[in-house]
Amino acid sequence: MSKYTKLLTQILIGQSDSNISFSDLCHILDKMGFIMRVRGSHHIFRKEGVAEKINLQKDGGKAKPYQVAQVRNVILKYKLGGSENV
């Protein structure tokens, strides 16, 4: 199992949202085909076919827990967690 498959599993389970690295969360979104735009401290991710935009901000080196939950909801809603995406 790759590092990012483990990370995706950790995100989808949702028991450790406060322990997800900001850079890992950005990287997994990149692997899923999201395009990142940085505006100040905001990292905004968009993807064709996904209505929601994902707006992430660092909290130290970690992603903010509520933002990890938002990413999880988008992954589940659009069924983006398949093995071809990680």
Side-chain angles (χ1 to χ4, degrees):
M1 187 182 285
S2 74
K3 174 183 177 184
Y4 292 100
T5 303
K6 289 178 186 177
L7 176 63
L8 179 60
T9 302
Q10 186 178 10
I11 291 169
L12 293 176
I13 290 172
Q15 293 181 337
S16 59
D17 287 356
S18 60
N19 281 334
I20 304 292
S21 160
F22 178 80
S23 61
D24 283 347
L25 190 60
C26 289
H27 188 75
I28 204 161
L29 289 170
D30 179 57
K31 292 277 240 181
M32 290 182 174
F34 283 83
I35 305 298
M36 180 176 71
R37 182 184 74 166
V38 179
R39 190 169 187 142
S41 65
H42 296 262
H43 293 67
I44 301 164
F45 292 85
R46 300 294 313 238
K47 179 179 171 89
E48 179 109 11
V50 176
E52 295 87 347
K53 64 181 172 185
I54 299 173
N55 184 357
L56 303 179
Q57 293 174 280
K58 263 188 194 182
D59 187 13
K62 302 288 183 184
K64 294 182 178 184
Y66 77 91
Q67 292 171 341
V68 175
Q70 289 174 342
V71 169
R72 177 176 43 258
N73 291 337
V74 168
I75 290 170
L76 293 172
K77 179 178 180 179
Y78 294 96
K79 298 179 174 72
L80 301 173
S83 60
E84 69 279 355
N85 292 317
V86 288

